[in-house]
Every structure is written in structure tokens, then in C-alpha cells.
Amino acid sequence: MPAKVVVRDLQKRYGGVDAVRGVSFEIQPGEIFGLLGPNGAGKTTTVECLIGLREPDSGYVEVCGLDARREPAEVKQRIGVALQSTSLQDQITPREALRVFGSFYRQRTDAETLLKRFALGEKADARFATLSGGQRQRLALALAFVNRPELVLLDEPTTGLDPQSRRELHHDIERMKHDGCTVLLTTHYLEEAERLCDRVAIINHGQIVATGTPRELMAQAGGAQSVRLVTLKALAKKRVAALPAVEDAVCNGPEATFRTTRPTEMLAALTSWLAADQNEIVDLQIRQASLEDVFIALTQGAEKR
Amino acid sequence: MNALLQHLRLSLRLHLRNKMALLYGYLFPLIFLVAFAVLYRHERVPLLRHMGELLTVAVLGGACFGLPTTLVSERERGVWRRYRLTPIPTWAVVASTAVARYLIVLSAGLLQLGLALAIGMTLPAHPFALLVAFTFVAFAFIGLGLVIAALADNVPAVQALGQCIFLPMLIIGGVAVQLGALPLWAQHVSAFFPGRYAVEALQACVNGAGFSGARFSLLALGLSGVAGCMAGAKLFRWDAQQRFSTRGGKAWLVPVFGAWIAVGLLAEWRGRIGIPVDREVAPVAQVRVTPVPSAGSVTPPAPVAAPVGPAVGIVLPPEAGPVAGRVLTPPPPDPLWTRVTKKEIDALDYNVPPDQGIVAPMAGPDEQADDFIKDQVDGVRNKLPSWPPGTDGDELRCIRNVLYVAAVPDAIQLPVERYLPRVVFEHLIDTYPREKLTKILTWIAMTPEEGMVIDDISDLGIEGAAGDPMVVRERAYLYAIKFVARLTGRVAE
């Protein structure tokens, strides 16, 4: 089956700043694809170029088999979008919003079905201003589904939600995959990406720095262990980096995080160094690297190295 | 199409749910209406001469505040960003919003009209033309509202910009303050604002010549509207992050203000700056000239129309029906005032402003003028018996002219305004038999639109000219009633 999304060498500049510098990726039908990256990395710009809110400076964007730059209106007929930066009028009700937005599309799901599916039945006729954060987000998702989309783009859908609402939303997103929908998700919650996404791409400074399944990315860390160390006295980064088999060391006063492929050897060297230095360990954690560690290593770590 | 209808319906529904929008859209124009009704309470037909102003205020409020406030607050919230994610083109949603706004201001206008009719205003002379003129006015101001929405980065900026346009139009643009009351320079300035043309076009349809009296105004409004809508569409921003200062296409503002300047220059070139002719001829122009059977004996050589009662709002008793529509002819052989009956005298509206008030004041018989104006009052008393407009020609015309000697200082609010009515009254009872005087004054009160207005009595030593002839007519009408009240013993001397 052809890819649902193909992005090749996407470029976008804003007033002399490169927001996106040659981004390329593909999303296969039926997968949940996560676009991860720190704030300002270029996630939102990439998504906005995909959905026709921004005109890229160059590059090729194909969505649902259509050239998104040539046929933006047709692309919009086939995709559903929930952006964090959008909202609705205070006085509108979920039922009205679903009806009006539904009328903008050739094919649509009726409001009642969506209200039921996204658990908004009780609030169907309540004003938008009276909805909770979770209810608003569910309405945004329901609106994204109003045109029976082939591809759904969700921009940080769980940001600002309480843990309960976040869990409910995760169920909703998993159900989308079940229903055969392709999902592009941007998030900065790494455990969310680890749980939901089939594949992720990590974007930093407008470029994709890693792509793969969460498991592949964690394996990229080479089976390295992640170490977090807190000592009584400040640590010199040079000394930390000089420990055996240490990578991606980040030091901040008496705190250091790094990865190591040989934890026992590293630990022996560390304890003898600290003892000689008359420094004391306050906290020490050694564990299997998570997606978050990979992410930090690829983004912040890359910067501070 | 269904999408736009749905959006239109939604816009209207959301408007009705928004308390602030209702306050600005409906209550605000109604407050103006009540204020005008109080301010001009002594006019014979309530609000008839001010409907143009009132409707313009309603449209201005809805289109230059309501529309951009809605657009900008929705833009700030990200509603327009949400619309952008759908396949519907942005221009279509803007058009639907503008149409919704037209319907909103139309409903506010109808509400005003309804209330005005309820408190005694007569039906507009040209209802269809009024609807068309209203549509032109709404078009012009909705265009302006779109421009304001494009200029303003946030809602407070809408309020500030709106006031910058609203207040000058209200005060020196001929919208809230009648042009006749403004100095000439302000009348020149007003020609460059669309507010003046809105008032003129609407007023011409309410009590003027209809379309034929509004051609220039409609052209001016059409031009402003086309320029505003084009610039508003070109400069439209759906994204709150786009600031006006950083976006291109600012040159689109040139046609907007260019249209205002072009219209102003055209008005200057065509000499349309003074008070529009419609204001003065309006009440007479709409009067139907109808030969009446009862006046069959008189043949009109050059008929001066008598006003149709309700149309110009003269308070006529029901039985005076046949009098209305009579054709006035030169007095001999049988002046119409001679047919004034006691019933008609009784039916005059004696509910006039008090003698001690600001409107139509009148000093008591023994009241002495202050020293600094005594000479002026004496001068008028001495010159009046030989004043040509008060002595040459038929008695009806002479008495009407003499009434203007009382009315003009009142209209200008000169210090002598209290004393000259007494001088005029004494002159009249010295000159004419009481019964004849009573009938003629009654006739004048019944036909206040007739004859030429004298708004300058400098030859009697009273300097200054009244700007609005209608005000002078109105004051003469009030004094005619006050004098009849004294002659018939209704007011004790």
C-alpha cells in the first residue's frame, strides 16, 4: 500500500530563520506516527506545511496520494486535524460545532455518533465556555473526525490535561488505529509516544535526527545504561566525560546525566575518583535507557556536548 | 452553499447568545433613540427628521464595532485558524460573517423604526428606497468594519480604532449633531466622512425625495463600500500571530481613504457642502397636491401644497380631514384661514414648552428686559410696525413673517429670545382684530410648512442667522400656539 504521507526535503524559513531544514519522512497506512522534538524544533511548522496552513519554501509533500501543495482543498477533505492553537467560540455548543463543521465536507459522520463516540453526549448542548479542558480536547478530536478522515493529525493533544483525561484520550487515539485510521501525533510527552506510536521521528533544529520504532531507537542507544548522579560537591564535566565508556555526559553543578555501555567498570572508576576528591554520592540511578534518554541524548545532549 | 447557510445561521445564533453583542447592537441604538426623542421632544412628528441619524448610529455600532470585535476576538481565540483547516475557502466564511452582520444591523434598524413608530413617528415616505439606502449604508460600514478588523491586532485596538472613526463622524460628521448646527469648516470636513452620506441617503428616504434625493449619497456610500470590502478582503488575517505591522499589502489602505477623499472632493466640486437641500424642501416635497371638493370654488393658479396631516405630522383634529389637502391660493377672494372653525382652534396641541424654558420662552407682560438688551428690544418694538415683511402683502404672510421675529432669536438662543415674543405678541394684538388674528395663527399652526422662512432679522437690529430653517419653522409654530392660547383665554395674562 502506498504511504499515507510522504515528505521530502521540506524547507521553510521565517524572516531569516530556518524553521525546517530538509525534513523527510513517510507514514504508512494504519500506523501511529509520532513527531517528537523540543519546543521550536520545527514540529508545528512541519505539520502546518502538511495541512496547508503554511506554504513551504521548497520540498515535496504528498498526503493521501495527493500533492498537498497543488491540491490543498482536496487534501483537507480527506484529513482531520486537531491543533493545539485552535479553539471555538464561547457560546457554541458541541452539537452545533459538529453540525456546522460537518457541513463543510463532502462526506461526514453525523453529530450524534461523534458525540457518543467521544463521550460528549451529556455536554452536547452546553456552551463551549463551560466545558472542561478534557471535554474541549475531546470535542477537538470529534471535530477532526467529522469528515471520516483517512489521516488524522493531532498536535500535542494531551498538553495541559489532567492524568485522567490524558488516559481517556490515549484510549481514543488507540481506537483510531483500531478503526484503520492513520495518525500523525506530535507530543513532547515521551512516555506517551512510547506507549502509542508505532514509529517516531525526532526533530531538532529543523532536521530529523532519528527515525524508527521506539524499540529501535532505544536499541540505538546500544544497550547503554542511563545514569543519573548527584553528589555533594560540583562535578567537573571533563572528569565525568573521562570516566570509562561514558557518552552524552551533561553536567549541571553537582548533577550529571550520561550513558555508559560498561556500568560496572564506570562505577569502579567513579567511586575511586569521588573518594579521592572527598566528594560524596547523594543520589545514583542506573537503569535501561528509555525513549526519553534517547531523546535527551539526541537533542539537549547534542547541544551541550 | 449549505455550508455557508449553516455558518450564517450559527453566526446569528451566537450573536443572540452574546450579551455584550446585544448590548452594543440593540440597546446602544435604542439609547440614542430615546435620547433623541427627549432632545427633540418639541418637534411636531417625533424623530421623523432624525431617523437618518439614528439608523446610521445603529449601522455604525454594528458594523464598525460589532463586526471587527467578533472577527478579531475569534481570530485571537484561533477560531479562524480552525476554519482554515477545513476545505471551505476563507473568503466564503468572511462573506457569510458579513451577511450575518447585515442581517443583525437590519434587525437593529427595524427595532429602532418600530419603536419610533410606536412613539408617534409617521411611516417613512419611501419604504423600499429606505431598505435599499440602508443596504448601501450597511455595505459601506461593513467594508469599513473589515478594514478595522484587519488593522487591529487585538480587541482593545478595535475599540480604539472604532472610536477614532465613530466619534468624529458622530460629532462633526453630521451623524449625531445636525450639519446645520455645525460651523462651515465642520460641514466641509463632514463631506469627507461616509457618515454624512449615510444620514443624507436614509433621511431622503424617510421624509425626502427618496432615490432622487439620495443619488449622490448612494454613489458615495457605494464607493466607500467597494473600497472597504476590497481592502478588508485583501488585508484579512486569519492568524493572530500575524501582526498588521509585519504584513504586506498595506497599500490596500490607500483606496479606502482615497475613496473618502474622492467623494469629499466631488462634493466640494459640486457645491454640496452646505446643508442639503432635502432638509429644507423635504416636508413640502412629499406633500401631495390634491384638489379638494370643498375648496372647489377656488382655482389654484400656482398651488402651494398644503401638508397631508399624518405625513408631516401636523397635529390635526380628526374632523379637520377635509382641510388637509386643500389647495392654498392667494387670499382674495376667500382666504382659507377664514374657514378655520372653533373646533380646529380647540384641537390645537396646547401642550407646548413652558414660557420659562429654553425652547420657545416668553416673558410675562410686565417683565422688563435687562439693561444690556433693552435697546435691542426697544429697537425691534419701534421698527416692527414699519418692517416691510410684516406689512407688505396679505395678512397671513405678514403674520407668519412677524412670528419669525420671535422664532429666530429663539433658534439662535440670543439673550433677547424671552422678550421679543412679547413684543411680537403685543404688536399683533395692536394691529389685527382678535378673532381674525386667532384664526390666522391657528391656520399657521395647522400649516407650519407653508411659505418662505425668514431666518435673518438683521434689519431689525438682531444679528445672527439660524442655521436650520426647520427649527425656525418649528419655533414659529410653537409661538403661534402660545399666542392662540392667550387670545382664547387658555393662558391667563
Side-chain angles (χ1 to χ4, degrees):
Chain A
M1 260 208 281
K4 271 285 169 218
V5 175
V6 180
V7 177
R8 263 185 242 133
D9 199 22
L10 187 72
Q11 313 252 5
K12 178 74 188 173
R13 283 173 76 87
Y14 293 121
V17 179
D18 286 312
V20 174
R21 301 185 293 167
V23 162
S24 303
F25 61 89
E26 287 189 10
I27 305 177
Q28 299 307 317
E31 71 176 353
I32 300 184
F33 185 87
L35 199 54
L36 316 181
N39 288 336
K43 296 188 302 268
T44 304
T45 305
T46 304
V47 170
E48 286 182 345
C49 290
L50 273 175
I51 59 183
L53 278 188
R54 305 249 172 246
E55 175 66 19
D57 295 333
S58 67
Y60 177 73
V61 182
E62 185 187 294
V63 177
C64 303
L66 298 162
D67 184 337
R69 296 179 67 181
R70 290 209 183 138
E71 299 177 82
E74 192 50 40
V75 166
K76 285 172 182 174
Q77 286 282 359
R78 301 193 189 185
I79 63 172
V81 187
L83 291 188
Q84 210 197 353
S85 54
T86 64
S87 183
L88 295 172
Q89 297 93 335
D90 268 341
Q91 314 291 336
I92 202 170
T93 69
R95 195 191 303 276
E96 285 170 339
L98 290 168
R99 280 195 186 147
V100 170
F101 278 86
S103 74
F104 294 169
Y105 295 91
R106 270 199 306 268
Q107 57 169 358
R108 62 193 80 112
T109 304
D110 77 306
E112 301 310 315
T113 311
L114 289 168
L115 287 168
K116 214 165 151 191
R117 173 172 170 185
F118 289 94
L120 286 165
E122 278 180 27
K123 288 283 180 178
D125 298 310
R127 307 272 164 98
F128 184 76
T130 66
L131 301 183
S132 69
Q135 287 162 340
R136 287 179 188 197
Q137 203 52 267
R138 289 211 299 276
L139 177 57
L141 288 191
L143 283 174
F145 272 83
V146 82
N147 56 329
R148 298 188 202 151
E150 299 169 35
L151 167 73
V152 184
L153 296 100
L154 309 175
D155 181 27
E156 312 220 345
T158 58
T159 299
L161 294 188
D162 58 80
Q164 170 74 17
S165 307
R166 188 172 299 164
R167 250 198 312 279
E168 285 169 9
L169 223 63
H170 287 167
H171 283 301
D172 283 330
I173 295 167
E174 280 165 343
R175 237 179 100 185
M176 293 173 191
K177 183 182 158 73
H178 249 268
D179 296 347
C181 212
T182 309
V183 180
L184 167 58
L185 174 80
T186 77
T187 181
H188 55 248
Y189 295 119
L190 279 302
E191 76 280 17
E192 186 169 284
E194 213 172 315
R195 175 183 163 178
L196 294 173
C197 296
D198 298 310
R199 283 195 312 129
V200 296
I202 295 176
I203 186 166
N204 195 30
H205 293 305
Q207 284 180 311
I208 295 209
V209 290
T211 322
T213 65
R215 221 164 270 285
E216 279 169 357
L217 288 186
M218 287 185 273
Q220 258 183 29
Q225 305 287 308
S226 172
V227 182
R228 180 172 174 270
L229 169 70
V230 183
T231 55
L232 210 56
K233 292 196 265 180
L235 291 162
K237 187 180 171 188
K238 257 190 195 163
R239 296 288 303 269
V240 174
L243 291 167
V246 162
E247 288 172 12
D248 302 333
V250 178
C251 283
N252 186 12
E255 231 182 290
T257 56
F258 52 88
R259 289 185 301 147
T260 175
T261 43
R262 301 200 296 275
T264 317
E265 201 182 321
M266 181 279 298
L267 211 52
L270 175 70
T271 44
S272 53
W273 160 44
L274 290 179
D277 244 20
Q278 293 186 325
N279 202 348
E280 197 58 59
I281 294 175
V282 176
D283 188 17
L284 177 64
Q285 292 171 24
I286 304 176
R287 58 182 171 81
Q288 171 74 46
S290 67
L291 188 57
E292 182 161 352
D293 297 313
V294 178
F295 178 81
I296 290 170
L298 286 170
T299 55
Q300 292 171 351
E303 255 162 56
K304 293 187 180 173
R305 224 180 343 236
Chain B
M1 201 59 209
N2 176 44
L4 295 184
L5 275 178
Q6 289 270 3
H7 182 259
L8 178 67
R9 277 174 52 192
L10 176 73
S11 302
L12 293 175
R13 243 182 280 149
L14 295 183
H15 175 76
L16 291 176
R17 280 181 206 160
N18 185 338
K19 288 197 186 81
M20 287 310 284
L22 292 180
L23 202 76
Y24 275 107
Y26 297 106
L27 191 64
F28 198 53
L30 287 184
I31 290 172
F32 261 85
L33 184 128
V34 172
F36 273 41
V38 172
L39 197 64
Y40 300 108
R41 65 191 174 283
H42 298 302
E43 290 186 6
R44 289 174 311 281
V45 184
L47 300 173
L48 184 75
R49 292 175 52 235
H50 305 283
M51 252 352 254
E53 295 150 31
L54 288 168
L55 291 173
T56 302
V57 167
V59 182
L60 258 177
C64 294
F65 281 110
L67 176 65
T69 303
T70 306
L71 285 177
V72 173
S73 72
E74 288 185 353
R75 182 172 71 208
E76 282 189 306
R77 295 179 65 95
V79 175
W80 284 86
R81 215 175 149 75
R82 188 66 193 79
Y83 287 139
R84 278 287 285 201
L85 301 176
T86 69
I88 204 112
T90 306
W91 66 261
V93 191
V94 178
S96 149
T97 308
V99 171
R101 184 54 56 173
Y102 169 67
L103 295 176
I104 290 165
V105 294
L106 185 64
S107 65
L110 286 172
L111 188 68
Q112 276 195 325
L113 197 61
L115 194 68
L117 291 173
I119 61 174
M121 196 186 86
T122 50
L123 278 172
H126 309 275
F128 175 71
L130 181 61
L131 179 67
V132 174
F134 188 89
T135 306
F136 268 74
V137 173
F139 176 60
F141 289 142
I142 285 172
L144 185 54
L146 289 176
V147 173
I148 293 175
L151 287 174
D153 284 334
N154 47 45
V155 173
V158 171
Q159 299 298 326
L161 266 173
Q163 296 287 6
C164 287
I165 289 168
F166 193 60
L167 287 178
M169 276 206 226
L170 232 56
I171 296 162
I172 55 166
V175 175
V177 180
Q178 296 214 322
L179 285 171
L182 293 174
L184 197 60
W185 66 263
Q187 294 186 19
H188 280 282
V189 172
S190 72
F192 292 84
F193 285 104
R196 170 185 179 141
Y197 305 107
V199 175
E200 280 180 19
L202 293 167
Q203 199 59 51
C205 301
V206 171
N207 69 340
F211 279 135
S212 59
R215 278 193 206 107
F216 185 85
S217 308
L218 292 179
L219 174 80
L221 291 167
L223 260 177
S224 310
V226 168
C229 285
M230 272 170 62
K234 286 283 172 192
L235 290 169
F236 186 81
R237 286 179 287 154
W238 51 267
D239 188 357
Q241 286 170 350
Q242 277 179 307
R243 316 306 282 183
F244 179 74
S245 55
T246 58
R247 70 163 293 148
K250 292 190 192 73
W252 276 100
L253 291 177
V254 175
V256 177
F257 298 107
W260 292 17
I261 293 168
V263 165
L265 292 176
L266 199 61
E268 292 275 359
W269 177 57
R270 295 187 52 176
R272 298 189 86 266
I273 298 303
I275 305 160
V277 181
D278 287 349
R279 288 289 171 81
E280 168 60 334
V281 300
V284 179
Q286 67 171 25
V287 161
R288 278 164 292 170
V289 179
T290 324
V292 168
S294 66
S297 59
V298 281
T299 40
V304 177
V308 176
V312 289
I314 298 156
V315 188
L316 280 180
E319 63 269 39
V323 176
R326 265 182 205 174
V327 177
L328 188 75
T329 57
D334 187 14
L336 288 179
W337 58 260
T338 56
R339 298 186 194 162
V340 169
T341 62
K342 186 174 177 306
K343 260 189 180 173
E344 284 165 348
I345 296 170
D346 291 344
L348 286 180
D349 181 3
Y350 292 101
N351 185 20
V352 287
D355 291 346
Q356 308 302 325
I358 295 168
V359 174
M362 186 165 169
D366 304 324
E367 220 173 305
Q368 289 296 313
D370 295 328
D371 286 346
F372 76 103
I373 49 171
K374 202 167 181 307
D375 288 349
Q376 270 186 321
V377 175
D378 290 343
V380 173
R381 186 178 287 121
N382 295 334
K383 286 177 194 160
L384 208 49
S386 57
W387 186 50
T391 49
D392 298 349
D394 72 82
E395 290 160 316
L396 173 63
R397 199 169 74 196
C398 290
I399 293 177
R400 199 192 294 277
N401 289 345
V402 170
L403 280 176
Y404 292 133
V405 177
V408 169
D410 179 29
I412 315 174
Q413 300 203 327
L414 295 175
V416 291
E417 64 174 352
R418 287 177 53 70
Y419 304 100
L420 291 191
R422 173 60 54 188
V423 172
V424 167
F425 182 59
E426 283 165 1
H427 166 75
L428 288 175
I429 46 180
D430 287 348
T431 314
Y432 300 94
R434 290 182 82 94
E435 192 192 347
K436 180 192 263 184
L437 183 59
T438 307
K439 281 190 171 182
I440 292 178
L441 286 170
T442 303
W443 179 253
I444 289 172
M446 286 163 59
T447 60
E449 318 290 341
E450 285 186 8
M452 290 294 294
V453 171
I454 293 178
D455 61 358
D456 183 344
I457 50 169
S458 49
D459 42 356
L460 289 171
I462 306 296
E463 296 295 338
D468 187 349
M470 282 308 290
V471 176
V472 182
R473 277 188 196 281
E474 180 196 316
R475 302 297 158 90
Y477 156 83
L478 292 173
Y479 281 119
I481 291 182
K482 287 197 165 195
F483 293 173
V484 174
R486 282 165 174 77
L487 288 165
T488 55
R490 284 177 171 80
V491 171
E493 283 291 300

